[in-house]
């Protein structure tokens, strides 16, 4: 028996969609505290020895074909503490649209990332609120000298029988 090519294509698309569609538990837009993270109270006794504000470009979609069609992308902001022994504190993570309007704040309170710990924040494929010029602004602080964290966005999308993924590195706009 010969399987029709169209049937195979539909099965492949279904399998790809099943593998790439997030489950309801994966659709959360902000992380839950893990053992490597904890909510931190930054008060007047908190000594800021190192701090930075990071700008991270995000692409909710890219244009293709004639420049009029869009290819939607999911974006994951990844924050990685690269210090081998010391924690850092993420004081805020804010998501802005193309025009610089604040869309959402991802943290209600600062969180601590222990040494070598990571966290991420997701903008779903269907969330077009940021537009093509969306960005994250992230602030981190530390009470001791630490190695600079890696903060970047990873964009990924699939459709039209193809997939696309790329990263967008953060750039320090304030701080040391």
């Amino acid at each position: 028996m010969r399987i029709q090519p169209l049937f195979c294509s539909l099965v492949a698309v279904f399998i790809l969609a099943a593998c790439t569609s997030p489950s309801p538990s994966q659709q959360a837009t902000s992380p839950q505290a893990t053992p490597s993270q904890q909510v931190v109270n930054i008060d007047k006794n908190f000594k800021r020895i190192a701090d930075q504000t990071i700008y991270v470009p995000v692409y909710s979609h890219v244009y293709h074909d004639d420049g009029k069609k869009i290819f939607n992308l999911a974006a994951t902001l990844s924050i990685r503490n690269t210090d081998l022994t010391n924690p850092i504190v993420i004081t805020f993570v804010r998501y802005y649209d193309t025009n610089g309007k604040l869309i959402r704040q991802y943290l209600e309170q600062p969180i601590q990332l222990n040494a070598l710990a990571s966290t991420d924040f997701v903008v779903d494929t269907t969330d077009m609120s940021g537009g093509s010029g969306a960005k994250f602004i992230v602030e981190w602080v530390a009470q001791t000298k630490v190695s600079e964290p890696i903060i970047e966005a990873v964009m990924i999308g699939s459709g039209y029988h193809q997939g696309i993924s790329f990263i967008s590195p953060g750039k320090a706009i304030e701080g040391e």
Side-chain angles (χ1 to χ4, degrees), residues 20 22 60-61 71-75 122-128 156-158:
T20 59
S60 63
H61 62 275
F71 193 95
N72 291 345
L73 303 169
V122 176
V123 178
D124 191 82
T125 306
T126 60
D127 183 348
M128 302 295 289
I156 187 166
S158 61

Side-chain angles (χ1 to χ4, degrees), residues 79 81 86-90 111-114 140-142 146-147 149:
I79 303 173
N81 181 1
N86 298 300
I88 63 171
V89 175
I90 309 303
I111 58 169
Q112 177 175 295
L113 283 182
N114 291 334
W140 67 269
V141 298
V146 295
S147 59

Side-chain angles (χ1 to χ4, degrees), residues 60-111:
S60 63
H61 62 275
V62 291
Y63 298 98
H64 68 97
D65 288 339
D66 58 5
K68 295 179 183 174
K69 295 180 183 176
I70 60 171
F71 193 95
N72 291 345
L73 303 169
T76 302
L77 175 72
S78 175
I79 303 173
R80 297 168 180 257
N81 181 1
T82 62
D83 200 273
L84 295 172
T85 56
N86 298 300
I88 63 171
V89 175
I90 309 303
T91 55
F92 65 76
V93 175
R94 296 179 181 145
Y95 183 59
Y96 292 84
D97 72 5
T98 298
N99 299 310
K101 179 184 170 201
L102 178 64
I103 300 295
R104 83 180 55 89
Q105 294 190 145
Y106 279 85
L107 294 177
E108 292 180 23
Q109 297 179 41
I111 58 169

